[in-house]
Amino acid sequence: MDKNALRDALQQGIYKVINPMVRLLIKVGFTPNAVTTTGLILNIGVAAIFIVGGEVSNRGELEYVGWAGGLVLFAGLFDMLDGQVARLGNMGSTFGAMYDSVLDRYSEMIMFMGICYYLIAHHYLLSSLFAFIALIGSMMVSYTRARAEGLGVECKGGLMQRPERVVLIGLSAIACGITYSFVGADYKVYVEGIPFHVFETMSVFTLPITVMAVLTNITAVNRLMDAKKAMQQKEMKTA
């Protein structure tokens, strides 16, 4: 089974779990756009937690990171719910698809704004740079697909699509908060011969963001190259 088939199978399994909730939302009158809007509001809440944490807590006090991670995952659930509400409720529309895409981008940018604010406020300056690079990569993963499909070429696949990004940030933030509760803020790992620590409690959150910064941009470039090949093949067929 290739990775796309595995991803589709996992997605279908998740749909089976969330479909009862989807039917409940439809029953109480939620529309797909209302679900999408709720997701945006929750991501504003994520940013608010990070910003408040940056203002009221000290460097290394990571409980706010853990709470924000939990809300990231809960908000991410609404990314799947809106599409299912549209499908099961027969409420899909062209504007709804566009509304979903636009608000997803807003949600992601707002979330990263909160992360960057927190990291800068606590003087994790290098990590804040990687968070910004991860944001750039995330936007370009989505943009390359949208632009290619606007030109009539399918451009999917690759690592670090939106669900993977949400899960990675959410789980790493929760893990960071849990690690802090057990080992505290001052846990550091040193390697002989290196004058600074190579790992600390905050690294549980910042290292996955660094990985995301690399993989999202690799995915965007790979999508660009795949789109180029597909467009060249399409041009050769019509020549």
Side-chain angles (χ1 to χ4, degrees), residues 41-71:
I41 293 169
L42 291 173
N43 275 288
I44 292 172
V46 170
I49 292 174
F50 276 118
I51 291 170
V52 171
E55 287 296 314
V56 306
S57 64
N58 297 316
R59 178 185 168 100
E61 295 176 354
L62 306 176
E63 62 270 20
Y64 283 92
V65 176
W67 286 113
L71 190 55

Side-chain angles (χ1 to χ4, degrees), residues 115-127:
I115 292 172
C116 288
Y117 188 98
Y118 183 92
L119 294 173
I120 291 171
H122 286 184
H123 307 291
Y124 296 101
L125 299 181
L126 183 60
S127 294

Side-chain angles (χ1 to χ4, degrees), residues 32-41 43 79 82 95-110 162:
N33 289 352
V35 176
T36 302
T37 303
T38 302
L40 173 64
I41 293 169
N43 275 288
D79 284 343
D82 55 7
F95 175 75
M98 181 177 180
Y99 186 77
D100 178 41
S101 295
V102 171
L103 262 65
D104 279 354
R105 304 291 81 73
Y106 270 115
S107 293
E108 199 156 15
M109 287 187 286
I110 289 168
R162 179 157 168 75

Side-chain angles (χ1 to χ4, degrees), residues 213-230:
V214 175
L215 293 182
T216 51
N217 284 283
I218 289 174
T219 298
V221 172
N222 284 341
R223 283 187 172 186
L224 181 63
M225 294 299 99
D226 289 344
K228 179 183 177 183
K229 292 178 183 177

Side-chain angles (χ1 to χ4, degrees), residues 49-239:
I49 292 174
F50 276 118
I51 291 170
V52 171
E55 287 296 314
V56 306
S57 64
N58 297 316
R59 178 185 168 100
E61 295 176 354
L62 306 176
E63 62 270 20
Y64 283 92
V65 176
W67 286 113
L71 190 55
V72 166
L73 292 183
F74 184 60
L77 178 63
F78 283 80
D79 284 343
M80 293 183 289
L81 288 175
D82 55 7
Q84 280 299 90
V85 168
R87 282 185 284 271
L88 295 184
N90 196 26
M91 292 183 281
S93 68
T94 303
F95 175 75
M98 181 177 180
Y99 186 77
D100 178 41
S101 295
V102 171
L103 262 65
D104 279 354
R105 304 291 81 73
Y106 270 115
S107 293
E108 199 156 15
M109 287 187 286
I110 289 168
M111 178 190 68
F112 272 108
M113 177 189 69
I115 292 172
C116 288
Y117 188 98
Y118 183 92
L119 294 173
I120 291 171
H122 286 184
H123 307 291
Y124 296 101
L125 299 181
L126 183 60
S127 294
S128 69
L129 175 62
F130 279 111
F132 187 72
I133 294 172
L135 170 60
I136 293 172
S138 298
M139 293 302 102
M140 293 312 298
V141 166
S142 300
Y143 180 78
T144 49
R145 175 180 175 178
R147 187 68 179 125
E149 290 181 350
L151 294 171
V153 173
E154 187 176 88
C155 188
K156 297 181 180 180
L159 295 171
M160 289 297 133
Q161 298 181 60
R162 179 157 168 75
E164 290 92 328
R165 299 195 298 268
V166 169
V167 170
L168 182 61
I169 289 178
L171 290 182
S172 62
I174 291 171
C176 183
I178 293 173
T179 303
Y180 165 71
S181 69
F182 282 101
V183 304
D186 297 325
Y187 179 79
K188 293 180 175 62
V189 175
Y190 291 87
V191 174
E192 187 177 352
I194 299 178
F196 51 86
H197 61 271
V198 297
F199 185 89
E200 60 180 314
T201 309
M202 185 62 169
S203 302
V204 176
F205 181 51
T206 57
L207 284 179
I209 288 179
T210 302
V211 171
M212 183 186 298
V214 175
L215 293 182
T216 51
N217 284 283
I218 289 174
T219 298
V221 172
N222 284 341
R223 283 187 172 186
L224 181 63
M225 294 299 99
D226 289 344
K228 179 183 177 183
K229 292 178 183 177
M231 289 174 185
Q232 288 175 336
Q233 291 173 355
K234 188 175 179 180
E235 289 170 355
M236 288 175 62
K237 290 179 180 179
T238 57

